[in-house]
């Protein structure tokens, strides 16, 4: 006997099919127009890339960062270090030959 779980999984944002219509529905109106413009201008070699890029963006809209996390990132208080500092350290290490 099997049972369906009561609570949905916390594995990430809700599923979003990778179709033009589903991606368009998931986007805010201003982005939706830009999505349709890019899809209309893409040739056959670019279509999948455009669709994939906008699908990823739509998934981010569906599962935004919590307000506390967003505020911490904007204030520079989130864990980790800024990418600019990491790049600077890598360049310094490469220049001095340290590892």
């Amino acid at each position: 006997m099997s049972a369906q779980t009561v609570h949905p999984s916390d594995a990430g944002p809700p599923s979003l099919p990778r179709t033009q219509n589903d991606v368009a529905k998931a986007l805010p109106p201003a982005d939706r127009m830009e999505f349709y413009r890019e899809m209309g201008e893409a040739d056959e070699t670019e279509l999948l890339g455009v669709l994939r890029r906008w699908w990823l963006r739509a998934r981010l809209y569906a599962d935004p960062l919590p307000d506390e996390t967003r505020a911490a990132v904007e204030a520079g208080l989130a864990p980790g270090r800024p990418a600019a500092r990491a790049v600077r350290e890598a360049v310094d290490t490469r220049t001095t030959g340290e590892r």
Side-chain angles (χ1 to χ4, degrees):
M1 184 163 139
S2 66
Q4 183 175 351
T5 58
V6 176
H7 301 287
S9 165
D10 290 332
S15 176
L16 177 64
R18 286 187 200 188
T19 65
Q20 184 174 351
N21 288 339
D22 287 318
V23 170
K25 281 189 257 181
L27 294 169
D31 284 343
R32 189 175 306 140
M33 293 307 296
E34 180 66 14
F35 167 70
Y36 280 132
R37 185 190 65 72
E38 285 188 27
M39 288 295 289
E41 292 176 354
D43 67 22
E44 64 186 33
T45 63
E46 300 168 322
L47 277 172
L48 288 177
V50 171
L51 181 62
R52 183 177 302 114
R53 184 173 60 253
W54 282 97
W55 175 78
L56 290 168
R57 188 175 295 178
R59 285 186 49 109
L60 286 174
Y61 286 142
D63 189 28
L65 289 174
D67 290 338
E68 316 79 57
T69 305
R70 183 180 309 281
V73 168
E74 289 172 354
L77 303 173
R81 58 190 174 154
R85 183 171 21 149
V87 169
R88 219 175 16 254
E89 290 170 3
V91 168
D92 291 345
T93 300
R94 181 176 286 170
T95 304
T96 61
E98 296 176 13
R99 294 221 176 232

